Amino acid sequence: MKICIYGAGAIGGYLGVQLARAGADVSLVARGAHLAAMRERGLTLLAGEETHTVHPRCTDDPTALGVQDTIIVTLKAHSITGVIEKMQPLLGPHTRIVTAVNGIPYWYFYKHGGQYENSTLESIDPGGRQWRELGAERAIGCIVYPATEIEAPGVIRHVYGNNFPLGEPSGEITSDVQRLADLFVAAGLKAPVLDRIRDEIWLKLWGNVCFNPISALTHATLDVICTDPATRALSRAIMVETQAIAETFGVKFRVDVERRIEGARKVGAHKTSMLQDLERGRPMEIDPLVTVVQEMGRLTGIPTPALDSVLAMVTQRARIAGLYDGISTSSDPRALAVA
C-alpha cells in the first residue's frame, strides 16, 4: 500500500515513523526547516525512553510521488482548501483520503441520509471545493487522540495516546478501511473500525468547541478551565448547545456532559491546540471547531447564545493578532450548498 502523509508535522510525523517502522511504503509531504531536516537526517520519534529514526521519501512537491493508494491528511483543517490543486497528482481512481483532522470533515453529509444528504458546509469547505475536487466518495474518517509535538525540525516527541478510530461515512466495514486498520495495528497503533464514525467525531469536537476558544481567550490550561466555576459553567453551556445540534443529526453521545468535562480536567495542565497556535503566532482552527457548530445550529434552528458569544470574542482576538482569515461570523443564517 502506497501511503502519502500530507502535512507531516507533529501528528503526521508520528504516523510516518510508526508506519515506516511497520514496513509501509510511506511518503511525507512537508515544508520548511522540518522538511530540510528530515531530508538530511531522517525523521526521529522520541517516545518515552525510546528513540526511532526512519528515512522515508520527503518532499514539498507531490508531483514527485505519483498516484497513492491512501492519502492521510494531517494538515490543520483550515489549510486543506489551499492545497487541493497540489494534491491532484496523488489521486487515482481508487485512492482513499483519510481525514485525520480536527472538527467536522468536508465529507460529513456524504451517505448521511435525510434532508442534508450530499450537502456541504461553507464554514469548513467554502464553495464545496473539497467535496468536488478531492471527492467525498474517497473519504475515510479518522479521529486523532494522541498528543505529539515537534521538538525540533525533524524530531517528533510523543506525549501520550495512540488511538486513531477509523470509519467509512456509510458505516460499512469495507476492505479498504479494514486493511488500513490492520496496518495501523501492525504499526503499534489502536485503530478500531467504527460503524458510527460521526458519533466519535462529535465526541472529540464536544470538548474542542468550548475548551479551545475559552483557552485562547483566557490562556488557561484544561485543568483550570474545568475547575474554575465560571469557565466550567460556560463550557457546559456550550456543550449542551452542541449536543442538542448533534442529536438533531442522529448523533449518539456515549457519555454525558459532566463526564466529558471531568475527562478533560484529568488531562491536567494541558494547553489546547488553539492556545498553542495563538502563542506561536499561527492561524487558529476557529472555523472547523467552532464556526461549523454555529452553522449547523442555524440549519437546525437551535439557538447557540453561549457559543455565539465565545465565537465572536475569539474571532476578534484572532483578527487583532492577525491569525484569522476565515469566514465572518454574522447573524445571518448560512445555507447549505448541495453538491
Side-chain angles (χ1 to χ4, degrees):
M1 184 189 302
K2 293 181 68 175
I3 298 176
C4 173
I5 298 177
Y6 206 110
I11 286 295
Y14 171 57
L15 280 171
V17 172
Q18 295 298 84
L19 292 173
R21 291 179 62 219
D25 183 1
V26 179
S27 300
L28 308 180
V29 175
R31 63 182 181 179
H34 187 53
L35 171 60
M38 290 192 291
R39 283 172 163 167
E40 181 180 351
R41 300 184 295 273
L43 177 59
T44 297
L45 173 66
L46 307 177
E49 300 299 317
E50 299 181 0
T51 300
H52 305 285
T53 300
V54 298
H55 298 270
R57 287 182 299 277
C58 303
T59 185
D60 57 1
D61 179 14
T63 61
L65 302 177
V67 171
Q68 303 290 303
D69 296 308
T70 303
I71 303 169
I72 303 176
V73 180
T74 51
L75 295 166
K76 293 285 189 178
H78 56 261
S79 302
I80 298 174
T81 298
V83 300
I84 290 175
E85 293 181 4
K86 291 182 178 181
M87 291 178 66
Q88 295 305 309
L90 304 173
L91 300 176
H94 304 294
T95 302
R96 301 303 303 271
I97 297 176
V98 180
T99 52
V101 297
N102 284 328
I104 300 293
Y106 75 92
W107 53 262
Y108 188 85
F109 286 112
Y110 178 68
K111 295 194 175 180
H112 179 274
Q115 64 178 310
Y116 301 118
E117 175 83 17
N118 290 342
S119 299
T120 61
L121 290 154
E122 190 67 16
S123 54
I124 56 170
D125 186 16
R129 286 194 60 202
Q130 293 180 51
W131 182 289
R132 294 193 310 274
E133 298 174 45
L134 298 181
E137 71 282 358
R138 286 193 171 99
I140 292 175
C142 177
I143 295 89
V144 176
Y145 281 117
T148 58
E149 57 190 33
I150 298 179
E151 181 147 307
V155 180
I156 306 297
R157 179 171 293 280
H158 176 253
V159 181
Y160 65 81
N162 66 346
N163 192 20
F164 294 86
L166 301 168
E168 294 276 7
S170 66
E172 300 171 275
I173 311 297
T174 64
S175 59
D176 284 350
V177 74
Q178 189 61 60
R179 182 169 60 155
L180 184 65
D182 291 344
L183 179 58
F184 273 41
V185 171
L189 307 170
K190 295 179 181 178
V193 178
L194 308 180
D195 59 2
R196 293 180 58 89
I197 191 68
R198 292 176 183 85
D199 290 0
E200 199 72 16
I201 289 170
W202 281 96
L203 184 63
K204 184 177 183 185
L205 179 60
W206 210 12
N208 291 153
V209 69
C210 57
F211 301 138
N212 274 263
I214 291 172
S215 71
L217 291 168
T218 63
H219 290 253
T221 51
L222 283 179
D223 55 335
V224 175
I225 293 171
C226 295
T227 54
D228 177 83
T231 52
R232 184 182 178 105
L234 180 56
S235 298
R236 189 182 193 285
I238 294 173
M239 292 174 76
V240 168
E241 293 171 0
T242 299
Q243 182 175 4
I245 294 164
E247 288 178 344
T248 300
F249 292 110
V251 172
K252 299 182 184 302
F253 290 83
R254 67 173 185 267
V255 300
D256 62 22
V257 171
E258 293 301 324
R259 184 175 170 188
R260 181 67 177 84
I261 294 175
E262 278 300 293
R265 182 189 63 78
K266 291 176 182 177
V267 172
H270 173 70
K271 293 182 179 181
T272 70
S273 60
M274 196 175 285
L275 176 55
Q276 291 180 48
D277 286 342
L278 175 64
E279 292 181 342
R280 295 170 184 173
R282 302 185 305 208
M284 297 185 287
E285 291 182 288
I286 295 173
D287 288 339
L289 299 184
V290 189
T291 312
V292 68
V293 178
Q294 182 191 65
E295 181 177 2
M296 296 175 87
R298 288 169 173 169
L299 292 171
T300 61
I302 294 174
T304 54
L307 183 146
D308 293 348
S309 297
V310 168
L311 175 57
M313 289 187 288
V314 77
T315 300
Q316 185 64 16
R317 178 70 181 87
R319 284 181 173 140
I320 290 171
L323 303 178
Y324 182 73
D325 57 2
I327 63 174
S328 63
T329 55
S330 74
S331 60
D332 297 328
R334 296 185 185 90
L336 282 173
V338 178

